[in-house]
């Protein structure tokens, strides 16, 4: 069936190709050594300059095509990516605008450069080019025999590329060029490879995913901003370490990492017990403070979900969480006694003012659990959670008004 215009304009394959190229850049960046540097879309898709002055050029090709068995397709002798890559490399080698107009300069460049075609395409069952290249590089055949074998490849694109290489480089340099080519095939699961590199950096396995997301997000932003200014993204080992070390340190740190949760809030938000407590003391208003009620609810659910996930992941034990809540109740009790020391009150208004001062004081408290400071907004969420259970309250009659009613907020 002919493709629709929408299908013709579908950029999925191209987008995945660019994503794959960027992920390969990240993978190779993580493997960088001292006095080395890596560039994106500069001398090639990706290139690395080693400490000994050697240059590694990467042409990166990604295919979304699948076989009948849903496997990646193979890099065959008729593959356009293969011959286009070899053709482009021969043009780079012979670029007189880059100081390589003669064969001597071209030879020096080839001797100092490794040419890597990296792709997710599979190694084919049979390939004249791949088999012949292996024989040439191992010394099994000479260059003349190698070219004779390549002549058996009948596609026009292959013949044009071979002719161009021999014309631009000459036989001697062309032979040297083919010995410097590396075919890195069947590169799949690139995200897994990156995470494996992160794991080798002594990062707790439970924190790999969050580090992966933050590192890639920050690096992508740097790439975008750099290229937007018309510049090329180049990172030396030293600049990469300086720029990104803090991100790794944070995720390597034994301190707990609090995630941002965006809970779904539905129904009558003011029916929650913790908000009823705040309404009753005139801390918030049903008619004018819905946004504030959403903020407080988000803080309450966020800390609850964080602690719940930390217990599931083994970052905190049930005992640690229980003892934490006990400590918070003690903090609340001290503040509660201090705030209501002058009871009984002459009026309900006076009672509520003392209750508001009580919670205002606690909202300034930064709580700690397992040696880690909890951000203020999440610390506030702990008090909201406990007042919704309810284990604490703001007025002196909170137990009678809320605990004995049997109603409690369901945060899970």
């Amino acid at each position: 069936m002919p493709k629709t215009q929408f299908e013709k304009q579908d950029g999925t394959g191209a987008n995945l190709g660019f994503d794959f190229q960027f992920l390969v850049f990240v993978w190779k960046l993580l493997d960088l050594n001292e006095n080395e540097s890596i560039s994106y879309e500069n001398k090639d898709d990706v290139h690395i300059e080693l400490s000994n002055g050697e240059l590694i050029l990467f042409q990166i090709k990604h295919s979304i095509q699948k076989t009948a068995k849903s496997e990646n397709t193979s890099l065959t002798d008729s593959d356009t990516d293969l011959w286009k890559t070899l053709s482009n490399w021969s043009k780079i080698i012979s670029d007189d605008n880059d100081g390589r107009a003669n064969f001597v300069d071209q030879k020096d460049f080839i001797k100092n450069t490794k040419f890597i075609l990296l792709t997710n395409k599979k190694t084919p069952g049979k390939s004249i080019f791949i088999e012949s290249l292996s024989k040439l590089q191992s010394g099994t055949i000479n260059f003349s025999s190698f070219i004779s074998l390549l002549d058996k490849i009948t596609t026009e694109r292959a013949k044009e590329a071979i002719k161009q290489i021999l014309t631009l480089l000459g036989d001697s340099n062309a032979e040297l060029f083919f010995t410097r080519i590396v075919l890195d095939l069947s590169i799949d699961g690139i995200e897994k490879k990156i995470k494996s590199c992160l794991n080798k950096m002594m990062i707790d396995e439970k924190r790999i995913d969050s580090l992966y997301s933050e590192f890639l997000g920050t690096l992508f932003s740097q790439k975008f901003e750099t290229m937007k200014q018309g510049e090329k993204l180049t990172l030396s080992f030293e600049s990469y370490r300086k720029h990104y070390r803090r991100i790794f340190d944070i995720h390597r740190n034994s301190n707990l990492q609090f995630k941002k949760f965006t809970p779904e809030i539905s129904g009558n938000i003011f029916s929650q017990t913790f908000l009823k407590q705040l309404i009753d003391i005139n801390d918030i208003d049903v008619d004018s403070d819905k946004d504030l009620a959403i903020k407080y609810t988000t803080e309450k659910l966020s800390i609850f979900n964080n602690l719940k996930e930390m217990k599931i992941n083994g970052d905190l034990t049930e005992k640690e969480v229980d003892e934490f809540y006990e400590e918070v109740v003690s903090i609340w009790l001290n503040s509660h006694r201090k705030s209501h020391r002058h009871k009984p009150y002459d009026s309900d208004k006076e009672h509520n003012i003392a209750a508001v001062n009580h919670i205002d004081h606690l909202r300034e408290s930064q709580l700690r659990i397992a040696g880690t400071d909890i951000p203020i907004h999440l610390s506030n969420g702990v008090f909201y959670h406990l007042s919704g259970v309810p284990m604490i309250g703001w007025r002196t009659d909170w137990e009678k008004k809320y605990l004995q009613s049997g109603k409690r907020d369901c945060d899970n």
Side-chain angles (χ1 to χ4, degrees):
M1 177 182 291
K3 288 186 175 181
T4 66
Q5 189 61 35
F6 285 125
E7 291 172 327
K8 291 178 183 178
Q9 294 176 187
D10 182 12
T12 302
N15 289 335
L16 279 175
F18 286 121
D19 290 345
F20 182 71
Q21 181 174 308
F22 179 66
L23 290 175
V24 170
F25 170 77
V26 176
W27 176 33
K28 297 302 178 180
L29 170 64
L30 291 171
D31 201 35
L32 217 58
N33 294 311
E34 280 187 86
N35 301 316
E36 296 179 351
S37 65
I38 186 169
S39 291
Y40 184 83
E41 290 281 8
N42 192 349
K43 295 180 179 179
D44 214 326
D45 291 340
V46 172
H47 86 260
I48 295 174
E49 295 186 26
L50 303 182
S51 57
N52 62 3
E54 186 177 1
L55 179 67
I56 304 177
L57 299 180
F58 290 90
Q59 272 282 308
I60 299 165
K61 304 298 180 184
H62 182 274
S63 175
I64 60 172
Q65 295 180 343
K66 300 290 182 181
T67 66
K69 295 181 179 180
S70 297
E71 297 176 342
N72 290 344
T73 54
S74 298
L75 187 77
T76 64
D77 287 332
S78 60
D79 197 301
T80 302
D81 284 342
L82 170 63
W83 300 109
K84 184 178 179 181
T85 295
L86 298 180
S87 176
N88 287 340
W89 278 335
S90 69
K91 292 176 183 177
I92 290 173
I93 294 168
S94 59
D95 187 1
D96 57 356
N97 293 322
D98 206 15
R100 292 185 293 278
N102 60 68
F103 289 151
V104 174
D105 292 330
Q106 292 171 15
K107 182 178 182 180
D108 290 341
F109 180 80
I110 297 169
K111 288 171 65 176
N112 196 54
T113 306
K114 185 180 293 184
F115 305 85
I116 300 179
L117 172 57
L118 189 150
T119 177
N120 68 326
K121 294 180 181 180
K122 293 172 55 184
T123 304
K126 188 170 181 61
S127 165
I128 294 174
F129 176 76
I130 293 177
E131 293 170 9
S132 302
L133 183 67
S134 177
K135 290 178 180 178
L136 175 68
Q137 293 181 347
S138 66
T140 306
I141 59 174
N142 59 28
F143 186 64
S144 177
S145 299
F146 172 70
I147 295 299
S148 296
L149 289 170
L150 296 192
D151 285 340
K152 296 179 182 180
I153 301 174
T154 58
T155 63
E156 194 63 32
R157 188 71 183 88
K159 290 184 177 299
E160 289 176 0
I162 294 167
K163 181 180 178 181
Q164 175 185 291
I165 292 168
L166 294 174
T167 302
L168 291 177
L169 306 184
D171 286 0
S172 178
N173 281 347
E175 178 179 1
L176 182 60
F177 166 56
F178 279 110
T179 64
R180 300 288 291 171
I181 291 173
V182 176
L183 300 179
D184 207 349
L185 310 183
S186 301
I187 300 299
D188 221 345
I190 188 69
E191 290 180 314
K192 187 175 181 180
K193 293 181 184 296
I194 293 173
K195 290 179 180 180
S196 178
C197 289
L198 297 176
N199 199 24
K200 292 177 182 177
M201 296 179 175
M202 305 297 289
I203 305 295
D204 191 320
E205 196 168 341
K206 294 190 290 293
R207 300 185 180 187
I208 293 294
D209 286 343
S210 59
L211 170 58
Y212 175 86
S213 298
E214 184 174 358
F215 177 53
L216 258 69
T218 307
L219 188 58
F220 182 84
S221 294
Q222 183 183 5
K223 175 182 78 73
F224 178 80
E225 291 300 324
T226 301
M227 298 181 77
K228 188 173 70 173
Q229 295 172 16
E231 300 174 359
K232 303 295 185 181
L233 177 60
T234 298
L235 290 171
S236 67
F237 174 82
E238 290 73 24
S239 65
Y240 146 64
R241 287 287 294 266
K242 180 179 179 181
H243 195 83
Y244 291 99
R245 180 181 59 81
R246 182 57 185 155
I247 293 177
F248 283 82
D249 285 347
I250 290 171
H251 290 271
R252 192 179 287 115
N253 197 304
S254 59
N255 287 346
L256 300 171
Q257 303 296 316
F258 294 95
K259 293 183 179 179
K260 181 178 180 180
F261 283 93
T262 307
E264 291 185 12
I265 301 173
S266 58
N268 180 12
I269 192 170
F270 290 105
S271 66
Q272 299 177 91
T273 298
F274 95 96
L275 286 177
K276 286 181 178 179
Q277 291 215 52
L278 298 180
I279 293 167
D280 287 349
I281 63 173
N282 298 319
D283 181 68
I284 61 171
D285 181 78
V286 173
D287 295 324
S288 60
D289 289 333
K290 185 172 182 180
D291 287 345
L292 200 56
I294 292 173
K295 177 180 182 293
Y296 290 169
T297 301
T298 300
E299 291 170 351
K300 176 184 75 133
L301 295 176
S302 291
I303 187 60
F304 180 83
N305 287 326
N306 264 287
L307 296 180
K308 180 180 178 182
E309 186 173 288
M310 289 172 182
K311 285 193 294 183
I312 293 172
N313 292 338
D315 294 319
L316 288 173
T317 65
E318 189 80 39
K319 181 182 178 183
E320 284 178 305
V321 175
D322 289 343
E323 290 177 348
F324 166 69
Y325 283 135
E326 289 174 7
E327 178 69 13
V328 175
V329 171
S330 295
I331 293 171
W332 162 82
L333 183 58
N334 290 338
S335 175
H336 192 71
R337 286 174 55 80
K338 180 180 179 180
S339 300
H340 295 292
R341 195 174 300 280
H342 302 294
K343 65 178 182 178
Y345 298 103
D346 295 331
S347 66
D348 205 47
K349 180 180 179 180
E350 187 180 356
H351 193 166
N352 286 342
I353 290 173
V356 169
N357 289 336
H358 178 17
I359 189 170
D360 281 346
H361 169 70
L362 289 179
R363 281 176 175 146
E364 297 176 355
S365 303
Q366 183 167 39
L367 304 175
R368 285 173 63 84
I369 184 169
T372 302
D373 289 334
I374 301 176
I376 287 290
H377 71 287
L378 294 182
S379 293
N380 290 344
V382 175
F383 292 112
Y384 300 146
H385 167 68
L386 292 179
S387 64
V389 172
M391 291 174 64
I392 62 175
W394 314 118
R395 290 172 56 100
T396 57
D397 56 357
W398 71 271
E399 291 178 281
K400 180 179 178 181
K401 291 172 68 74
Y402 310 108
L403 186 59
Q404 293 177 9
S405 69
K407 293 183 178 180
R408 57 171 292 166
D409 296 342
C410 185
D411 291 343
N412 58 347

